[in-house]
Amino acid sequence: MSVNNVKTISIFGSTGSIGRSTLDLIAHNPEIFSVKVLTAGKNYKLLAEQAVKFKAEAVVIADERYAEALKDLLKDTSIDVSAGAAALLDVATLRVDLSVAAIVGFAGLEPVLRSIEYSKAVALANKEPLVAAGDLIMAAAAKSGCKILPTDSEHNAIFQVFEPQNREQISRLILTASGGPFRSWSKADIDAATPEQAVKHPNWSMGAKISVDSASLMNKALEVIEAHHLFAMPADKIDVVVHPQSIIHSFVEYKDGSVLAQLGVPDMRTPIAYCLAWPQRMESCGERLDVLQLSALDFEPVRDDVFPSIKWAYQALAQGQGACLTLNAANEIAVEAFLKHDISFSKIYDVVDAMLNKHAEGALSGLDDVIALDKKVRNAARVFINN
Ligand code: NDP
């Protein structure tokens, strides 16, 4: 089936891994999309190239230091160029059929909230805002009528087989985890792992932060909280299983014993294509799954003794939104320090554990509370690392 009408689309974080995969799909289906807005953090050169190629109406570079260089590259075009956090919020008010939330980290929270107000649908890859402020995001979507399209591969898989009319008959959501590059390593080797080893994911090609999160299984911890918000499922109905081949992207178990799953090669273009075309389907330029080439589909439990992250996600969910925010903020700071070789891999867990013990307040009443607690935890995590 083809997509009938041209969709207007804005991509927040177009220069990243998800952003580039999204534009790849659009390049293969130019007749069905019209790009309005593209944004980046620092990479002004790629942003300018993308803007020209996809005839964007407006671009924003979040880091204002690159504003002049970006303006210079686009001076012979009619593309509107702006810079800074406020500009990101401004372009999110341009009405579009679909906004793709592909910024990494909590930095995407306010653009996501603004996009929810002005877009018909938001393809949400940027999971950290949902972890930190899921109640706020889901309430904003309910208020504006914006459809949230889960883009993370596991949640996209669930979305594809989740029968809303039978939600009461769902007994469990089962998220699959590849186990990351350290799945079978000893604890001693994991503790001493380098950033170069951590970002080498066995199956997926992703940005640096999520790659480290996959190695620590923090990515799966964030995804448990993400699933709780996206599907309004209590924590005790969300399970995780390690599936090293990353072919089955997640399961939904119904009370009659049926277990529905979505399969595909580990390529983000498949779930992104689902979101781009939703509620229809479109051609994807990604590799196809050849079931005859599959030698095995293996499953194993998570090694909670070595990877404590997932256990912490359940504890945080039991405590409330403040604890989930704390888990995320502490992890963002720790991963940043690890990637700069400032701390060891095992220290990521120490930072998160210390912050959860210190700052895990329960309820948060609004955006100001969320921003204030995020700032407080980040500062405390930096102090902890420096000491
Ligand atoms: P990348 O690091 O590859 O890209 C991040 C994007 O955000 C880039 O465009 C970057 O710009 C921009 N950016 C970074 N910091 C800021 C900031 N402070 N303000 C505004 N823009 C900023 O990340 P990924 O594409 O890997 O991931 C994006 C999100 O999607 C994450 O939340 C991740 O967890 C989620 N996700 C990613 C998957 C993947 O396969 N990559 C799979 C599932 C979910 P610049 O290029 O200039 O730095």
Side-chain angles (χ1 to χ4, degrees):
M1 191 201 286
S2 67
V3 178
N4 297 324
N5 299 315
V6 173
K7 272 192 184 179
T8 51
I9 181 160
S10 292
I11 306 172
F12 293 82
S14 63
T15 52
S17 167
I18 293 288
R20 283 180 278 121
S21 293
T22 305
L23 285 173
D24 195 22
L25 286 160
I26 293 175
H28 281 84
N29 296 274
E31 68 291 354
I32 53 179
F33 297 103
S34 162
V35 173
K36 276 223 167 190
V37 174
L38 297 175
T39 84
K42 293 182 166 63
N43 193 346
Y44 68 93
K45 285 187 185 158
L46 180 57
L47 182 60
E49 264 174 47
Q50 292 177 336
V52 171
K53 178 172 176 188
F54 291 92
K55 300 185 176 67
E57 286 179 24
V59 290
V60 176
I61 188 88
D63 189 326
E64 298 186 44
R65 288 174 299 173
Y66 303 99
E68 287 314 312
L70 180 61
K71 279 184 187 150
D72 196 45
L73 285 177
L74 294 175
K75 65 178 185 298
D76 297 328
T77 72
S78 59
I79 299 166
D80 183 68
V81 180
S82 55
L88 270 183
L89 300 187
D90 277 351
V91 291
T93 64
L94 294 173
R95 291 192 185 276
V96 283
D97 293 312
L98 179 70
S99 285
V100 178
I103 290 176
V104 61
F106 182 84
L109 173 62
E110 289 188 82
V112 164
L113 285 171
R114 194 59 62 89
S115 298
I116 285 173
E117 267 185 78
Y118 291 91
S119 312
K120 285 189 192 150
V122 168
L124 192 59
N126 185 196
K127 66 188 83 181
E128 296 88 351
L130 205 51
V131 172
D135 295 341
L136 219 58
I137 290 177
M138 299 315 287
K143 188 173 168 200
S144 71
C146 171
K147 180 76 184 169
I148 302 287
L149 301 169
T151 311
D152 211 350
S153 58
E154 296 76 2
H155 306 75
N156 185 267
I158 292 170
F159 185 52
Q160 293 198 35
V161 294
F162 188 103
E163 298 170 0
Q165 73 282 12
N166 287 323
R167 70 156 38 252
E168 296 309 320
Q169 320 323 321
I170 291 174
S171 43
R172 266 193 315 163
L173 305 182
I174 307 167
L175 299 170
T176 53
S178 70
F182 308 149
R183 178 175 63 89
S184 51
W185 287 29
S186 70
K187 178 158 174 8
D189 286 346
I190 295 171
D191 286 353
T194 64
E196 293 70 28
Q197 291 170 318
V199 298
K200 248 194 216 144
H201 197 281
N203 305 337
W204 297 92
S205 161
M206 308 182 284
K209 194 262 176 184
I210 186 175
S211 297
V212 176
D213 286 348
S214 297
S216 65
L217 291 206
M218 189 57 80
N219 183 47
K220 212 49 57 181
L222 302 181
E223 288 179 5
V224 167
I225 300 171
E226 190 183 2
H228 163 73
H229 289 295
L230 287 172
F231 303 105
M233 275 285 155
D236 62 0
K237 285 189 167 186
I238 304 171
D239 277 349
V240 176
V241 63
V242 174
H243 166 44
Q245 291 89 2
S246 299
I247 295 295
I248 296 182
H249 298 302
S250 281
F251 304 94
V252 176
E253 182 190 88
Y254 289 85
K255 75 177 185 195
D256 59 7
S258 284
V259 180
L260 305 193
Q262 182 259 354
L263 284 70
V265 294
D267 181 337
M268 281 307 293
R269 286 174 297 186
T270 306
I272 295 170
Y274 187 81
C275 294
L276 289 181
W278 185 89
Q280 300 179 20
R281 298 264 184 181
M282 63 183 258
E283 282 291 331
S284 168
C285 42
E287 200 191 323
R288 295 298 150 125
L289 179 65
D290 179 353
V291 288
L292 292 176
Q293 295 298 315
L294 296 177
S295 54
L297 293 176
D298 298 314
F299 301 95
E300 53 194 61
V302 175
R303 291 163 69 200
D304 281 321
D305 52 332
V306 182
F307 301 102
S309 327
I310 296 174
K311 180 182 73 189
W312 288 337
Y314 286 103
Q315 285 168 7
L317 275 174
Q319 274 176 277
Q321 192 68 71
C324 297
L325 180 153
T326 299
L327 176 84
N328 179 67
N331 181 59
E332 283 197 35
I333 295 301
V335 171
E336 198 179 285
F338 171 69
L339 283 169
K340 286 194 216 150
H341 293 263
D342 288 346
I343 61 172
S344 65
F345 190 80
S346 62
K347 189 91 177 178
I348 296 175
Y349 294 129
D350 295 343
V351 175
V352 175
D353 192 25
M355 294 305 113
L356 280 175
N357 285 323
K358 210 168 159 187
H359 291 284
E361 285 116 48
L364 294 170
S365 66
L367 183 60
D368 289 347
D369 261 18
V370 166
I371 292 172
L373 181 59
D374 178 75
K375 200 169 167 193
K376 186 166 137 189
V377 176
R378 277 165 200 269
N379 287 339
R382 286 193 190 98
V383 170
F384 182 84
I385 287 169
N386 291 334
N387 292 338

